[in-house]
């Protein structure tokens, strides 16, 4: 009953504040103390007792009272940060001030006229003697700086957010202003060896303070997603991550160590998460969110740090002057192998947590902040190249790859998780630009996480190709802008793939078969780029990894009609028009689903449930803007020779080439690679394209998404012409494949006839012991497309990051129902919504 009365008193104070016609004096402590007294004991109470409409009314009709409320709350926090808050009453006052500001700040940010309020001098009424007690020596410090300084101090306040180092006794508590916060880092890990004693209440208190910090940094949510609106750095983040914050280093290491040291499974006791409260998980989640927010910066403005990329180099020293963002600077300077090991093991442990399988359903705790972890991993690779090299130098990179592919496959049909699809693909694009990633993919895949993909035996490269095929053929249509990125990743790793499985080889040919259908090529001015990417994959494997890839060579031979049809693609206007008219007929027929058996225990990818909230995303730049082309020198011809017993496959007599039609291809593969430079249209790819078919075998896709890449907004006016088709057809890099077919098809046909072979294993055995050294064109240089940061991806990451934070913070709903501008929050209407 007493609790109900106290809440009623709090509610009366709120009503009184919003209805008073005259400003309440700042010195009226009896009135103001009602807002942070012990009457309210949870953040949920504060949100329920202060409705959004009343905060807006207070802002519009009684601005002086709102200003005083914010000032008095900050004043209480400053006082507590100076004197400490060892007793329960003082701690309750601090927490209620924190909750009140967390509730109010979003409504300050949503009004452009109020955004500068916290960065001005104190409100007029605070000049009174009673109202300026917290400001020493008459200094006029902006309210925001006072708030951020107080929060930083309180995050290392003994007996409140950290355990006291003083022994029990009558001595007065430790002075928060004099302690060395580096001795109070929250968790062992980077830069700190001691593991502090866990105090659950300290974790709860830290979480509430960090939530307020996150709210302070959320001003970016109320700016539109255009570059001009974000030219000036966020002043809250700039100050907090500057040398003005004396706790910057211990705060950064505390946040990083808390995330990377967290083990949700612990000792592995089944169902332990149902028996005990885990106070650490909410702290880890908000710590990860704070890290990705504070590390959000324009890389062009960040300090340049020279890195040698070695495993155990000397410490990287900061350059001249003080860096703009100490958090970014600290992250870039981590260099010890044990620190990299701690960070990578921590991130991979959490990323792989949803994949953990047990015999007891629901017995293992699952964490759900994998999107924040992926952004954090991205930021770390971007800011610290030594960390990226460390990740790539061992097979540990596969512990990052597997959960990413798991999430990509699981989210492919869910339009509310398109952002997750993008961040996963962007990370793989970044990794694929490094040779070591392609080499690591050759490790056999044995994890066997239940996924609705075909059963296969092979390597991580096979796993990647199979998942990418699934995304393209059965993903949500909003994923079409990612097709270029997906194929670019396969192109980047293809020169290093030693042995593709038959399943993966069939998937690659299946994609080529679909993408090379005339009506698909003619439906959009950029669709032919997909064919160029796939041909580049085949050329790389044939030229550099022929030995060991008998499965792919056999599949190419079996599907050779696809290449002949591509080489003989009609270019006359009549044929073009006929192909486009065929598309309309084919697209009206439903496609057969994928009937291959999936892994046991797999759950099919599901569409978003109606009512699911989703945040809109900024447009992603085309792959040509996200990557820079790097040409690697081709290895000497001898390096391509196979080892062990081989037999030379001789070219057949010129007259034996019956069945191979005229080839329209460039003279050399390298010139084709040089000449082909994607120029993507700026419009979105929409429309409807049915299932392509070919004489060799039908190509089927699942019903919910099939290559609906019809074109840009200008598709109504754009029409394919003979000149346009000829302009890219003559650059198709078909010479290597046609030469391979010219040499091997007669040989394979001959042994089939001579030996009466009907079993493909005998043909594969023949191909495995063959070599094409000296018979193929001169190997083309390997072309790698490396990820390159640009303003478009910077804005995309900012939009995605804050969209995650908005949707993940629902208890309490910090930003819900505020006028967010950075993205749109929408509800999924029904299962078929596009």
């Amino acid at each position: 009953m007493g609790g109900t009365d106290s809440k009623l008193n709090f509610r009366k104070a709120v009503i009184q504040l919003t209805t008073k016609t005259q400003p309440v004096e700042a010195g009226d402590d009896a009135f103001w103390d009602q807002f942070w007294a012990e009457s309210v004991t949870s953040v949920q109470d504060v949100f329920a007792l202060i409705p959004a409409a009343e905060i807006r009314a207070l802002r519009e009709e009684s601005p002086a009272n709102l200003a005083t409320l914010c000032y008095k709350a900050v004043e209480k926090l400053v006082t507590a940060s100076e004197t400490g808050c060892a007793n329960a009453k003082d701690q309750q006052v601090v927490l209620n001030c924190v909750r009140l500001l967390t509730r109010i700040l979003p409504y300050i940010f949503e009004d452009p006229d109020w955004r500068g309020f916290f960065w001005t001098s104190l409100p007029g009424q605070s000049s009174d003697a009673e109202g300026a007690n917290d400001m020493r020596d008459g200094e006029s410090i902006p309210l925001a700086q006072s708030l951020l300084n107080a929060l930083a101090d309180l995050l290392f306040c003994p007996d409140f957010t950290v355990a006291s180092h003083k022994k029990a006794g009558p001595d007065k508590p430790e002075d928060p202003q004099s302690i060395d916060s580096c001795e109070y880092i929250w968790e062992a890990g980077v830069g700190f060896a001691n593991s502090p004693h866990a105090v659950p209440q300290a974790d709860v208190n830290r979480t509430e303070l960090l939530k307020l910090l996150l709210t302070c940094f959320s001003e970016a949510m109320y700016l539109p997603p255009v570059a001009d609106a974000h030219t000036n750095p966020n002043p809250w983040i700039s100050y907090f991550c500057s040398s003005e914050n004396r706790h910057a280093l211990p705060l950064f290491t505390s946040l990083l160590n808390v995330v990377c040291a967290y083990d949700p499974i612990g000792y592995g006791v089944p169902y332990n998460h149902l028996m005990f409260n885990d106070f650490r998980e909410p702290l880890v989640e908000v710590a990860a969110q704070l890290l990705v927010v504070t590390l959000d910066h324009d890389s062009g403005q960040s300090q340049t740090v020279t890195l040698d990329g070695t495993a155990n180099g000397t410490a990287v020293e900061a350059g001249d002057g003080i860096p703009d963002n100490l958090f970014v600077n600290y992250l870039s300077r981590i260099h010890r192998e044990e620190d990299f090991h701690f960070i990578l093991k921590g991130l991979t442990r959490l990323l792989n947590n949803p994949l953990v399988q047990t015999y007891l359903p629901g017995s293992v705790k699952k964490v759900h902040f994998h999107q924040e972890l992926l952004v954090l991993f991205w930021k770390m690779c971007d800011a610290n190249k030594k960390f990226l090299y460390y990740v790539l130098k061992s097979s540990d990179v596969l512990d990052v790859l597997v959960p990413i592919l798991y999430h990509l496959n699981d989210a492919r049909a869910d339009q509310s998780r398109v952002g997750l699809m993008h961040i996963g693909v962007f990370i793989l694009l970044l990794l694929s630009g490094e040779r070591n990633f392609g080499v690591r993919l050759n490790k056999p895949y044995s994890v066997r996480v239940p996924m609705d993909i075909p059963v296969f035996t092979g390597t991580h490269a096979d796993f990647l190709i199979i998942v990418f095929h699934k995304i393209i053929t059965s993903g949500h249509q909003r994923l079409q802008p990612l097709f270029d990125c997906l194929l670019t990743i396969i192109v980047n790793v293809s020169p290093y793939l030693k042995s593709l499985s038959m399943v993966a080889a069939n998937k690659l040919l299946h994609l080529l078969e679909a993408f090379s259908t005339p009506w698909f090529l003619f439906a959009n001015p950029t669709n032919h780029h997909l064919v160029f990417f796939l041909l580049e994959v085949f050329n790389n494997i044939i030229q550099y990894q022929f030995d060991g890839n008998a499965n792919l060579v056999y599949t190419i031979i079996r599907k050779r009609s696809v290449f002949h049809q591509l080489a003989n693609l009609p270019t006359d206007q009549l044929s073009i028009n006929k192909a486009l008219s065929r598309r309309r007929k084919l697209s009206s027929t439903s496609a057969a689903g994928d009937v291959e058996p999936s892994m046991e225990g797999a759950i099919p990818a599901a569409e978003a449930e109606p009512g699911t909230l989703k945040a809109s995303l900024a447009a992603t730049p085309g792959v040509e803007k996200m990557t820079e082309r790097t040409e690697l020198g081709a290895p000497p011809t001898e390096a391509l020779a196979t080892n062990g017993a081989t037999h030379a496959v001789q070219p057949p007599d010129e007259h034996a080439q019956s069945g191979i039609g005229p080839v329209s291809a460039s003279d050399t593969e390298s010139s084709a690679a040089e000449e082909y430079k994607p120029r993507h249209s700026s419009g979105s790819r929409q429309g409807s394209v049915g299932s392509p078919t070919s004489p060799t075998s039908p190509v089927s896709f699942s019903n919910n998404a099939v290559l609906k890449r019809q074109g840009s907004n200008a598709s109504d006016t754009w029409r394919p012409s003979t000149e346009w088709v000829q302009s890219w057809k003559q650059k198709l890099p078909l010479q290597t494949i046609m030469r391979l077919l010219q040499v091997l098809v007669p040989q394979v046909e001959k042994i089939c006839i001579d030996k009466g072979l009907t079993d493909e294993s005998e043909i594969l055995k023949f191909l495995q012991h063959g070599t094409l050294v000296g018979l193929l064109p001169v190997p083309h240089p390997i072309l790698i497309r490396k990820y390159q940061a640009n303003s478009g991806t910077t804005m995309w990451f900012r939009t995605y990051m804050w969209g995650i934070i908005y949707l993940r913070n629902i208890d309490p709903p910090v930003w819900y129902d505020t006028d967010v501008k950075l993205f749109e929050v929408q509800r999924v209407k029904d299962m078929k919504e596009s």
Side-chain angles (χ1 to χ4, degrees):
M1 193 70 182
T4 305
D5 289 341
S6 61
K7 290 180 184 178
L8 187 61
N9 292 335
F10 183 89
R11 179 72 188 127
K12 285 179 179 177
V14 173
I15 295 172
Q16 193 177 1
L17 183 67
T18 55
T19 56
K20 275 184 178 290
T21 54
Q22 297 297 321
V24 182
E25 291 295 325
D28 189 356
D29 289 337
F31 175 78
W32 296 111
D33 285 349
Q34 296 176 91
F35 292 97
W36 30 83
E38 297 177 52
S39 55
V40 176
T41 56
S42 74
V43 67
Q44 288 79 12
D45 287 344
V46 172
F47 274 68
L49 295 171
I50 311 180
E54 294 184 14
I55 301 174
R56 289 193 177 103
L58 183 63
R59 186 186 67 197
E60 302 302 328
E61 298 166 17
S62 305
N65 285 344
L66 177 59
T68 306
L69 179 65
C70 293
Y71 161 65
K72 295 292 287 185
V74 174
E75 179 187 45
K76 284 291 182 183
L77 294 178
V78 170
T79 302
S81 71
E82 292 171 347
T83 60
C85 46
N87 63 64
K89 183 177 180 180
D90 290 343
Q91 292 178 8
Q92 192 63 54
V93 168
V94 168
L95 291 174
N96 281 342
C97 288
V98 166
R99 294 160 183 165
L100 193 69
L101 289 170
T102 303
R103 179 61 170 150
I104 291 172
L105 269 170
Y107 298 91
I108 298 282
F109 292 147
E110 76 174 5
D111 188 336
D113 295 333
W114 272 85
R115 272 177 215 148
F117 164 68
F118 272 83
W119 294 96
T120 58
S121 301
L122 299 176
Q125 64 266 41
S126 65
S127 59
D128 298 339
E130 302 96 336
N133 293 335
D134 66 317
M135 298 299 169
R136 248 124 341 278
D137 303 324
E139 290 181 1
S140 182
I141 301 174
L143 207 54
Q145 292 186 13
S146 299
L147 173 59
L148 292 174
N149 288 338
L151 290 175
D153 286 339
L154 288 169
L155 285 167
F156 294 99
C157 181
D159 298 316
F160 180 51
T161 51
V162 293
S164 175
H165 286 189
K166 272 186 174 287
K167 294 181 179 179
D171 299 343
K172 69 174 186 176
E174 294 170 274
D175 178 12
Q177 296 296 314
S178 62
I179 66 171
D180 180 4
S181 52
C182 286
E183 297 178 2
Y184 290 82
I185 290 172
W186 301 345
E187 188 59 71
V190 177
F192 194 66
N194 303 324
S195 187
H197 178 65
V199 182
Q201 190 57 45
D203 281 352
V204 173
N205 296 339
R206 292 166 182 166
T207 302
E208 295 220 39
L209 266 63
L210 293 182
K211 279 277 178 80
L212 175 54
L213 272 177
L214 197 59
T215 309
C216 291
F217 299 159
S218 67
E219 184 178 319
M221 278 195 198
Y222 301 92
L223 303 175
V226 293
D228 292 345
H230 298 262
T231 50
N232 296 321
N234 185 319
W236 295 84
I237 296 176
S238 295
Y239 182 81
F240 188 75
C241 298
S242 73
S243 57
E244 296 292 325
N245 180 1
R246 72 185 183 98
H247 301 292
L249 179 58
L251 266 172
F252 170 76
T253 49
S254 292
L255 295 172
L256 183 62
N257 292 352
V258 157
V259 172
C260 295
Y262 178 54
D263 184 357
I265 297 178
Y267 291 111
V269 179
Y271 302 105
N272 64 338
H273 61 289
L274 301 179
M275 296 182 283
F276 307 102
N277 284 329
D278 183 358
F279 296 104
R280 181 52 62 101
E281 184 186 1
L283 174 64
V284 172
E285 184 173 330
V286 71
Q289 292 172 356
L290 260 179
L291 278 173
V292 298
V293 166
T294 51
L295 295 172
D296 179 35
H297 71 295
D298 185 351
S299 58
Q301 297 174 353
S302 63
Q303 184 183 29
T304 301
V305 179
T306 303
L307 301 171
D308 58 16
T310 56
N312 49 8
T314 58
V316 180
E317 297 294 333
D320 296 333
I322 299 172
D324 294 334
N325 186 317
L326 284 176
F327 278 35
V328 175
N329 181 258
Y330 295 147
L331 180 60
S332 70
R333 292 166 61 190
I334 297 172
H335 65 281
R336 297 190 308 170
E337 288 235 350
E338 55 265 39
D339 291 339
F340 288 154
H341 175 79
F342 167 75
I343 293 169
L344 183 58
K345 281 297 179 189
L347 292 178
T348 55
R349 177 173 57 247
L350 292 172
L351 285 173
N352 282 279
N353 168 261
L355 284 65
V356 174
Q357 302 296 315
T358 62
Y359 291 106
L360 299 172
S363 63
V364 174
K365 181 180 178 66
K366 306 285 187 182
V367 297
H368 301 285
F369 48 92
H370 47 272
Q371 296 190 82
E372 293 94 321
L373 293 171
L374 290 174
V375 177
L376 180 58
F377 178 79
W378 173 275
K379 296 285 185 187
M380 297 193 68
C381 291
D382 186 43
N384 192 324
K385 296 306 177 192
K386 280 188 175 180
F387 176 72
L388 176 60
Y389 300 146
Y390 176 85
V391 170
L392 290 164
K393 80 173 188 176
S394 74
S395 294
D396 289 342
V397 69
L398 302 178
D399 293 332
V400 177
L401 171 72
V402 171
I404 288 177
L405 292 178
Y406 170 83
H407 287 301
L408 290 181
N409 185 66
D410 185 57
R412 69 181 190 272
D414 186 345
Q415 58 174 305
S416 68
R417 293 195 281 171
V418 169
L420 169 60
M421 300 292 296
H422 279 73
I423 181 64
V425 172
F426 288 165
I427 289 174
L428 297 183
L429 181 63
L430 175 71
L431 296 175
S432 73
E434 305 295 332
R435 176 186 176 276
N436 273 3
F437 180 67
V439 172
R440 300 299 168 204
L441 290 179
N442 291 305
K443 184 176 180 181
Y445 176 70
S446 57
V447 180
R448 298 304 164 209
V449 178
M451 294 169 60
D452 62 327
I453 58 173
V455 177
F456 74 99
T457 301
T459 65
H460 285 75
D462 297 311
F463 183 34
L464 180 141
I465 290 169
I466 291 167
V467 170
F468 281 11
H469 174 272
K470 200 81 171 179
I471 293 168
I472 291 172
T473 59
S474 65
H476 194 274
Q477 66 182 44
R478 287 183 63 194
L479 300 180
Q480 287 139 31
L482 287 178
F483 287 5
D484 293 339
C485 282
L486 293 171
L487 295 186
T488 298
I489 292 165
I490 300 177
V491 169
N492 282 348
V493 302
S494 58
Y496 314 110
L497 306 184
K498 294 182 177 178
S499 179
L500 289 184
S501 69
M502 188 63 80
V503 175
N506 276 317
K507 296 306 180 190
L508 287 177
L509 265 296
H510 181 230
L511 290 178
L512 181 67
E513 197 171 356
F515 292 149
S516 62
T517 310
W519 52 258
F520 179 71
L521 288 171
F522 300 155
N524 175 280
T526 61
N527 281 355
H528 62 281
H529 296 165
L530 302 174
V531 172
F532 275 83
F533 284 132
L534 286 167
L535 291 177
E536 193 173 342
V537 170
F538 298 139
N539 288 333
N540 283 340
I541 295 176
I542 292 168
Q543 290 280 21
Y544 296 109
Q545 298 292 346
F546 180 84
D547 181 30
N549 271 296
N551 289 327
L552 180 64
V553 173
Y554 172 73
T555 308
I556 289 174
I557 293 173
R558 198 165 55 86
K559 296 276 190 177
R560 57 191 178 277
S561 61
V562 177
F563 300 97
H564 296 322
Q565 289 169 4
L566 192 55
N568 296 311
L569 185 73
T571 59
D572 61 284
Q573 196 64 48
L574 181 63
S575 299
I576 292 172
N577 294 338
K578 190 179 292 185
L580 290 173
S581 66
R582 274 193 68 215
R583 177 189 65 80
R584 283 186 282 275
K585 295 176 185 175
L586 288 167
S587 61
S588 64
T589 62
S590 61
D594 194 341
V595 295
E596 293 172 295
S598 295
M599 293 184 175
E600 185 178 351
I603 301 173
E607 296 184 5
E609 291 289 336
T612 303
L613 287 177
K614 61 175 183 176
S616 63
L617 295 164
T620 50
V623 72
E624 79 285 353
K625 292 182 180 177
M626 288 197 299
T627 57
E628 58 179 352
R629 296 152 65 92
T630 303
E631 195 174 278
L632 307 180
T637 307
E638 300 79 46
L640 304 177
T642 57
N643 296 322
T646 63
H647 62 264
V649 182
Q650 297 300 325
D653 185 82
E654 292 297 323
H655 301 291
Q657 296 181 29
S658 60
I660 297 183
V663 178
S664 175
S666 56
D667 291 337
T668 64
E669 304 299 345
S670 58
S671 65
E674 284 302 305
E675 289 172 12
Y676 171 58
K677 296 180 181 179
R679 288 181 287 276
H680 297 272
S681 63
S682 58
S684 62
R685 294 165 181 161
Q686 299 173 348
S688 177
V689 180
S691 298
T693 58
S694 79
T696 50
S697 65
V699 182
S700 62
F701 294 88
S702 58
N703 292 325
N704 59 336
V706 184
L707 307 181
K708 296 177 182 174
R709 183 186 164 108
Q710 184 169 332
S712 64
N713 296 331
S715 60
D716 291 337
T717 57
W718 180 83
R719 292 287 182 272
S721 65
T722 296
E723 293 75 23
W724 172 76
V725 176
Q726 289 175 339
S727 69
W728 54 262
K729 181 189 172 185
Q730 63 186 359
K731 298 175 185 176
L732 286 170
L734 286 166
Q735 189 188 23
T736 294
I737 296 170
M738 287 305 186
R739 182 61 174 163
L740 176 144
L741 294 174
Q742 180 188 26
V743 172
L744 291 181
V745 169
Q747 295 285 330
V748 171
E749 289 178 343
K750 186 175 186 300
I751 66 166
C752 287
I753 294 170
D754 292 349
K755 297 184 179 181
L757 297 181
T758 56
D759 185 3
E760 68 180 22
S761 61
E762 291 295 324
I763 302 172
L764 288 171
K765 196 176 296 183
F766 167 77
L767 294 173
Q768 284 167 359
H769 295 93
T771 177
L772 291 177
V773 172
L775 302 178
L776 293 177
V778 176
H780 57 279
I782 296 173
L783 189 65
I784 302 296
R785 296 167 179 85
K786 291 197 172 191
Y787 171 82
Q788 188 175 29
N790 61 79
S791 58
T793 52
T794 300
M795 182 55 64
W796 185 91
F797 271 103
R798 185 168 298 149
T799 307
Y800 173 59
M801 177 182 67
W802 281 112
I804 296 170
I805 292 170
Y806 179 102
L807 295 173
R808 296 280 298 147
N809 285 275
I810 56 174
D811 187 24
V814 180
W815 298 277
Y816 183 75
D817 204 27
T818 62
D819 190 16
V820 172
K821 294 282 200 310
L822 187 63
F823 47 82
E824 291 181 18
V825 179
Q826 306 154 340
R827 286 190 182 275
V828 176
K829 293 180 181 177
D830 59 65
M831 305 290 262
K832 296 181 180 179
E833 183 190 18
S834 61

